Amino acid sequence: MNITKFLSIPLMCGALIASASAASAVDFSGQRIEILVPTEPGGGTDIYARFLGPLLSEKLPGKPTIIINNVPGAGSIAGGNQFQKRARPDGLSLIAIGTSITTNYVFRDKRVQFKLEDWIPIISSPQGTVVYSSKSLSAKKPDDIAKLRGEKLVMGANNATGGDMRVLLSLDSLGMTVNPVFGLNRGEVRPGFERGEFNINWETTAGYQVQVLPMVESGEAVPLFTFGVADDSGKILRDPVVPTLPTYIEVYHSLYGKDPEGPPFKAWLAMFDLNVMAAKALALPAGTPKEIVDTYNEAIKAVVAEFNNPQYKKQADDIVGPYPQALGTAAGRALKGAVTLDDETFSWLKGWLASKYQVKL
């Protein structure tokens, strides 16, 4: 997978094809719009939707009421299936897309009934990932990460092919033994970490800023590394939200004396594309008429412009971060490009999942 294929998309990059005449013909006055969030409340996707929802309400014609409906279960598959089955193309239904739903879609989970490639994204947002450990382990700072190789790491996770996969893959390639406890939603894992049931965990940078940073400041959690973000050339740099933390590539180099390479790294890059650079999105159902899509594209453009408004800047910095947003047709290219794996990468990941977790795709 080419990680640069959508990184060159500039902010608002001319991808919005909305027309003022079409937008003016749509009026949501007195309407109630639902954003389905296929995860528990409190996770990164939920925080993302709850931030964008009120702003979108203000920018849509008629200022409709926007509600959040959490439908967790099966690694976001339950919510995705419900959206596919019930959402009508009338502009009154959107879905918040996160890493679990896209990863399970890419790996062709048999429970998936939705057709993600047919949905119509209006925004696609990169989202950093931070991996952190408990103070109970021997690592007390990022430089101590090599000490974790000899320790028993326990991580709460939903399943091996969901959003947790990128972290399991990373830790495995760094020579660490992780014992995942599967079957948990993201909203259940962090409280379990706080109770000491798990000693290693991850969050998006949005969730990290809100939920984990207080634990870091109190000494309960130790941040280890981030996945970084890619620039326009495809080079992976430190995450601007947490620039003091090393990237996965930096950690790999410190442990092995060289940069990662070969099929395992190609697989890691595919997960990076999927789970970081196209981590979050809002989408309308397939078949939504062009005039409604155009109206949403105009509205989301106005929403992104508000990120620098002093009234919203702190929230925007914490939740969306200083990452470029892909809008309109650019959002569609970003998301659809990220959920396409080449045959070699898919084959390697199939073998890794089978050998590590007895998961057959």
Side-chain angles (χ1 to χ4, degrees):
M1 178 175 290
N2 181 0
I3 68 173
T4 67
K5 63 177 169 277
F6 59 84
L7 302 180
S8 61
I9 300 170
L11 182 63
M12 290 179 260
C13 68
L16 295 170
I17 57 174
S19 67
S21 60
S24 64
V26 177
D27 187 357
F28 291 110
S29 295
Q31 299 292 315
R32 188 177 80 163
I33 295 172
E34 176 186 284
I35 300 178
L36 188 152
V37 177
T39 63
E40 295 277 2
T45 304
D46 181 68
I47 292 170
Y48 177 78
R50 291 179 187 276
F51 170 61
L52 292 179
L55 289 172
L56 190 56
S57 173
E58 286 294 315
K59 302 304 179 183
L60 285 170
K63 297 185 178 181
T65 299
I66 292 184
I67 64 167
I68 305 297
N69 179 22
N70 293 87
V71 184
S76 296
I77 294 173
N81 287 345
Q82 179 173 309
F83 184 77
Q84 181 72 33
K85 182 178 180 180
R86 300 182 185 177
R88 297 180 178 178
D90 55 8
L92 301 183
S93 299
L94 299 99
I95 186 167
I97 298 171
T99 56
S100 289
I101 196 169
T102 51
T103 306
N104 281 317
Y105 176 80
V106 164
F107 285 100
R108 306 166 195 175
D109 191 296
K110 294 180 180 179
R111 297 169 295 175
V112 169
Q113 299 170 10
F114 55 86
K115 297 180 179 179
L116 187 150
E117 76 275 13
D118 292 340
W119 295 345
I120 306 169
I122 60 170
I123 182 171
S124 177
S125 304
Q127 189 68 259
T129 298
V130 182
V131 178
Y132 59 97
S133 62
S134 168
K135 70 173 183 179
S136 65
L137 297 175
S138 57
K140 305 304 178 185
K141 58 185 185 300
D143 290 346
D144 294 336
I145 195 168
K147 297 179 181 179
L148 298 183
R149 284 174 150 182
E151 300 198 50
K152 182 179 179 181
L153 306 180
V154 182
M155 184 178 113
N158 189 281
N159 57 52
T161 59
D164 302 290
M165 182 181 179
R166 66 190 186 273
V167 178
L168 294 172
L169 184 64
S170 298
L171 294 174
D172 181 57
S173 70
L174 295 175
M176 299 176 194
T177 301
V178 182
N179 298 282
V181 178
F182 291 127
L184 301 173
N185 290 307
R186 289 303 302 159
E188 300 173 294
V189 174
R190 183 179 42 77
F193 179 90
E194 293 177 359
R195 294 191 296 267
E197 297 166 8
F198 313 118
N199 55 25
I200 196 158
N201 196 23
W202 64 271
E203 290 285 354
T204 64
T205 46
Y208 180 82
Q209 294 287 94
V210 176
Q211 306 288 355
V212 181
L213 195 55
M215 289 193 289
V216 173
E217 293 171 344
S218 69
E220 298 299 311
V222 179
L224 299 174
F225 64 89
T226 75
F227 276 48
V229 292
D231 64 13
D232 288 346
S233 72
K235 182 179 180 180
I236 296 177
L237 308 174
R238 288 197 173 192
D239 193 308
V241 176
V242 276
T244 60
L245 292 181
T247 67
Y248 160 82
I249 293 176
E250 289 179 89
V251 172
Y252 188 100
H253 193 279
S254 72
L255 293 176
Y256 295 104
K258 62 179 182 179
D259 288 339
E261 59 186 1
F265 184 53
K266 191 175 181 182
W268 185 91
L269 286 174
M271 294 303 98
F272 173 80
D273 274 355
L274 183 64
N275 295 300
V276 175
M277 297 309 299
K280 298 285 184 285
L282 283 183
L284 294 160
T288 300
K290 182 179 184 298
E291 61 269 21
I292 294 177
V293 175
D294 288 348
T295 299
Y296 269 95
N297 284 340
E298 281 293 298
I300 202 68
K301 178 180 179 181
V303 166
V304 171
E306 291 287 354
F307 290 176
N308 288 320
N309 184 327
Q311 182 179 353
Y312 305 111
K313 183 171 174 51
K314 176 62 167 61
Q315 277 185 292
D317 288 347
D318 288 345
I319 296 170
V320 183
Y323 310 116
Q325 307 297 301
L327 309 180
T329 54
R333 289 196 300 270
L335 186 64
K336 291 174 185 178
V339 298
T340 304
L341 293 186
D342 63 56
D343 291 342
E344 180 186 17
T345 302
F346 187 72
S347 178
W348 188 91
L349 284 168
K350 281 177 64 176
W352 179 79
L353 285 166
S355 64
K356 282 289 178 180
Y357 303 109
Q358 294 72 56
V359 173
K360 293 184 178 180
L361 299 177

